[in-house]
């Protein structure tokens, strides 16, 4: 139960990204914070999916929804983390899309574990296709595909 209460605090922490001094540094910190919050929240996923958590039973449809919501966050994280490693410029839109997808996943996963299927679970879309710009590219805003 304490983990459920920690999730909103971690989500708020993701939005802060206060340690960095530059705009790019703050965006990178927001990606790192969101990744940490995601991994903390998703940590019990294998046990829940396997039915090893007493009192939590998910149907095949609910498991599929949880996987889709989780995969959306993972796809955005992978793209942004790769951009950070490549020292590419992050767009604020792409980071905001990641945070929106994480918030949707958080609501979905928490609801599913408590026995309901929130609407955020049923509105899964594809992640932003344009997450970064390089000096040779024209900056194109990413689509905000939140779950």
């Amino acid at each position: 139960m304490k983990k459920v209460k920690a999730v909103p605090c971690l989500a708020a922490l993701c939005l802060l990204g206060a340690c960095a001094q530059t705009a790019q540094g703050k965006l990178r910190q927001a990606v790192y914070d969101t990744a940490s919050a995601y991994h903390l929240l998703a940590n019990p996923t294998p046990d829940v999916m396997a039915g090893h958590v007493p009192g939590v039973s998910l149907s095949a449809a609910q498991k599929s929804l949880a996987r889709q919501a989780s995969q959306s966050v993972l796809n955005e994280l992978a793209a942004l983390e790769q951009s950070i490693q490549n020292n590419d410029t992050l767009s604020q839109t792409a980071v905001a899309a990641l945070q929106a997808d994480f918030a949707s996943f958080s609501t979905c996963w928490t609801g599913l574990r408590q026995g309901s299927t929130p609407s955020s679970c049923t509105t899964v879309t594809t992640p932003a296709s344009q997450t970064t710009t390089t000096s040779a590219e024209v900056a194109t805003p990413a689509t905000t595909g939140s779950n």
Side-chain angles (χ1 to χ4, degrees):
M1 215 33 136
K2 290 182 182 183
K3 285 184 182 180
V4 174
K5 291 179 183 179
V7 172
C9 295
L10 287 173
L13 177 64
C14 290
L15 298 175
L16 293 177
C19 295
Q21 298 296 320
T22 66
Q24 282 300 298
K26 288 180 182 182
L27 290 173
R28 287 182 173 140
Q29 188 63 47
V31 171
Y32 297 141
D33 292 344
T34 304
S36 294
Y38 168 77
H39 291 296
L40 179 66
L41 179 64
N43 186 35
T45 302
D47 289 333
V48 172
M49 295 293 212
H52 297 298
V53 177
V56 180
S57 177
L58 301 180
S59 69
Q62 289 174 318
K63 288 178 184 180
S64 176
L65 291 170
R67 282 186 193 103
Q68 288 175 333
S70 178
Q71 191 63 50
S72 180
V73 175
L74 284 174
N75 290 345
E76 299 239 11
L77 273 174
L80 288 167
E81 288 173 343
Q82 183 63 45
S83 296
I84 290 170
Q85 288 180 354
N86 293 341
N87 208 24
D88 292 337
T89 302
L90 300 182
S91 75
Q92 189 171 4
T93 305
V95 175
L98 167 65
Q99 291 173 332
D101 280 350
F102 171 72
S104 181
F105 168 72
S106 176
T107 301
C108 177
W109 186 233
T110 301
L112 288 173
R113 290 185 316 185
Q114 293 174 350
S116 67
T117 304
S119 62
S120 64
C121 289
T122 59
T123 335
V124 178
T125 60
T126 56
S129 59
Q130 177 73 26
T131 58
T132 63
T133 58
T134 62
S135 58
E137 297 175 319
V138 176
T140 305
T143 58
T144 54
S146 61
N147 294 341

